[in-house]
Amino acid sequence: MDGISNPFSSSSSQSDPKTTLMNQARQEAAVQNARQLIERLNEHCFEKCIPTPGSSLSKGEQTCFTNCMEKYMAAWNTVSRQYISRIQQESNTGGVF
C-alpha cells in the first residue's frame, strides 16, 4: 500500500516486528471491512431500489439508490464511531464494561 499513511504506526515502532505485524493486520482488517461495507451496501440498496434490472437505471431508481447508499453509510459511520469509542473506553479502563 505505497503512498498511504498508516495511522497506527509511529516512527519509533517501525523496528518492532510485533508492532509492524499488528499494524499490518489492522490495515488488512480495515480493507476487508471496507469491502464488506460496499458489498452489503450494494446488495441491500440494489434489492430495495432496482426491482427489474435492465440496461440502464431510471431516474427514480437512481434517486432511490443514492438515498439508500447515503442512509446506509450514515448508519455505518454512526455504528463505527460508537464501536471505536467503546473500544477506546475499554482500553482506558483496562477491561470490559
Side-chain angles (χ1 to χ4, degrees):
M1 296 190 136
D2 292 336
I4 299 175
S5 64
N6 182 352
F8 300 111
S9 69
S10 64
S11 58
S12 62
S13 67
Q14 289 295 331
S15 61
D16 180 18
K18 183 178 177 180
T19 302
T20 302
L21 185 59
M22 288 176 65
N23 290 337
Q24 183 179 4
R26 285 184 185 120
Q27 284 181 336
E28 289 174 9
V31 168
Q32 182 60 32
N33 284 338
R35 284 184 183 140
Q36 191 176 48
L37 168 64
I38 292 168
E39 182 180 312
R40 287 182 181 170
L41 186 140
N42 279 332
E43 288 174 3
H44 174 77
C45 294
F46 190 85
E47 289 175 9
K48 178 182 177 198
C49 297
I50 305 169
T52 54
S55 60
S56 63
L57 298 176
S58 70
K59 182 69 174 162
E61 290 171 335
Q62 290 176 8
T63 301
C64 178
F65 199 76
T66 299
N67 291 337
C68 180
M69 288 191 315
E70 288 174 357
K71 288 177 185 177
Y72 199 91
M73 291 294 294
W76 178 275
N77 288 334
T78 299
V79 169
S80 295
R81 280 192 298 272
Q82 290 299 317
Y83 178 74
I84 291 168
S85 175
R86 181 168 180 175
I87 295 297
Q88 289 173 340
Q89 288 174 352
E90 288 177 5
S91 69
N92 290 339
T93 60
V96 179
F97 286 89

